[in-house]
Amino acid sequence: MAGIAGLIWPQRSLITGREVAGPGSLEPELWAKLRFISDPVCARCGTPFEIAVEEAQICGACLAGPPAYDRARAALEYGEVSRDLVLALKYQGRRDALDLLAGWMALAGADLLQDADVIAPVPLHYLRLVRRGFNQSAWLAAALARRGAARLAVDVLKRTRSTPIQGGLSAEGRRRNVQGAFRVRRSREKLVKDQKILLVDDVLTTGATAEACSRALKRAGASCVDVLTLARVAAPRALSI
Ligand SMILES: [Zn+2]
C-alpha cells in the first residue's frame, strides 16, 4: 500500500519539500544533523549530562529548585534541523510527519508513556486555533496515544489568555507571560484528579509553558505530570538569555 501511495504522492522531504526515496522523509545529510537525546539525562528535567553519571541523577538546577512537572523528556536537541521539522509541522501542517516524530518521542519517553493514564496536549488559545486551524501539539498527542494505553484528552487544558508569542522573551519574561494562562476545564476535572498526566508539546524552551500547565493540572488534583516534547533546548533550566 505504501508503495502505491508513494507512486501517487511521492514522499517529500519534511524540510526541503524535495522528493526523497525510502522511509524517513528526510535527506540523509539532514538526518545526520539531527541530535537525538540519549542517556544520561537529569531524572527530573531531562537535561542531557555531558559525562556519565549514576542512574537517577538530578541536575544542579533541579536540586536548587525542582520544576512543577515530575519528569520531562524530549527526542531531539533543538537545533537548525529540528527547528525546521517543528516549523513544517506547525506552519505547513505536515501531518505525514506525525508517525515518524511520535515514534522518536515514544522512544525518548517510553517510561512516561507507559506510566501515563491520560495524554493531554498544551493547548492553543481559541483565537490562534481558529486562525491556524489545528494544534500541532494535539496532533503529536494523538499520534502518541496510538502507541500506548493511555487515554487521549485533547481538551483537558484551556488557555485562558492569548499570550504574545514567546520568541525573543527572556526566561523570566516567558514565565510571566504564561503565568496563570492555563486552567483545567471544569468538565474535565474528573479526568485529571488522582491521574498521571502526560503533557505533550512540540518544543520545550525555558519550560515556562510546561510548568504553567503542570501547575494547573496539579491544582486540579493530578497525581503526576510528565512532559514529553519533540525537541528541547539542551539546558533550559540553566539558560538565562
Ligand atoms: Zn534537571
Side-chain angles (χ1 to χ4, degrees):
M1 191 59 210
I4 296 168
L7 287 176
I8 305 169
W9 302 288
Q11 278 219 61
R12 301 261 170 204
S13 164
L14 292 170
I15 290 178
T16 63
R18 289 197 300 255
E19 281 181 33
V20 284
S25 310
L26 269 187
E27 290 87 338
E29 64 273 23
L30 294 178
W31 263 105
K33 283 191 190 160
L34 283 174
R35 295 190 61 181
F36 287 89
I37 295 173
S38 56
D39 284 336
V41 299
C42 168
R44 279 302 288 270
C45 70
T47 297
F49 287 123
E50 301 278 320
I51 46 161
V53 291
E54 289 166 36
E55 227 179 299
Q57 185 87 291
I58 306 282
C59 78
C62 287
L63 279 174
Y69 50 78
D70 291 86
R71 296 174 292 184
R73 297 292 183 271
L76 296 164
E77 270 187 34
Y78 196 57
E80 209 182 313
V81 181
S82 56
R83 184 199 59 207
D84 287 348
L85 278 176
V86 169
L87 294 179
L89 194 63
K90 204 165 176 168
Y91 296 111
Q92 295 169 30
R94 290 286 304 255
R95 288 192 82 123
D96 53 331
L98 287 172
D99 232 25
L100 178 73
L101 306 183
W104 295 343
M105 291 168 76
L107 276 178
D111 295 348
L112 288 63
L113 193 58
Q114 199 182 350
D115 293 346
D117 299 310
V118 174
I119 300 183
V122 168
L124 288 179
H125 185 264
Y126 172 72
L127 289 176
R128 196 166 291 163
L129 184 63
V130 166
R131 214 171 304 139
R132 194 179 295 160
F134 61 90
N135 175 1
Q136 74 283 354
S137 300
W139 281 1
L140 288 170
L144 276 167
R146 287 196 288 274
R147 292 169 178 269
R151 175 175 176 176
L152 172 70
V154 291
D155 59 350
V156 160
L157 284 164
K158 185 182 159 97
R159 201 183 274 251
T160 53
R161 279 190 284 121
S162 182
T163 50
I165 300 282
Q166 302 256 63
L169 289 178
S170 67
E172 176 57 22
R174 281 170 184 251
R175 199 184 61 75
R176 275 201 307 265
N177 192 24
V178 291
Q179 204 167 33
F182 301 92
R183 67 173 176 76
V184 170
R185 280 176 209 275
R186 193 152 296 164
S187 62
R188 291 310 211 180
E189 278 171 1
K190 261 198 204 133
L191 204 61
V192 170
K193 192 160 170 41
D194 300 324
Q195 298 295 297
K196 298 189 185 103
I197 313 293
L198 181 60
L199 184 70
V200 175
D201 206 357
D202 49 3
V203 186
L204 187 134
T205 311
T206 61
T209 299
E211 294 218 41
C213 290
S214 301
R215 266 184 227 110
L217 288 162
K218 294 223 165 159
R219 268 200 306 273
S223 62
C224 167
V225 181
D226 289 328
V227 181
L228 184 54
T229 58
L230 172 62
R232 68 174 294 145
V233 170
R237 308 209 74 231
L239 258 185
S240 53
I241 42 169

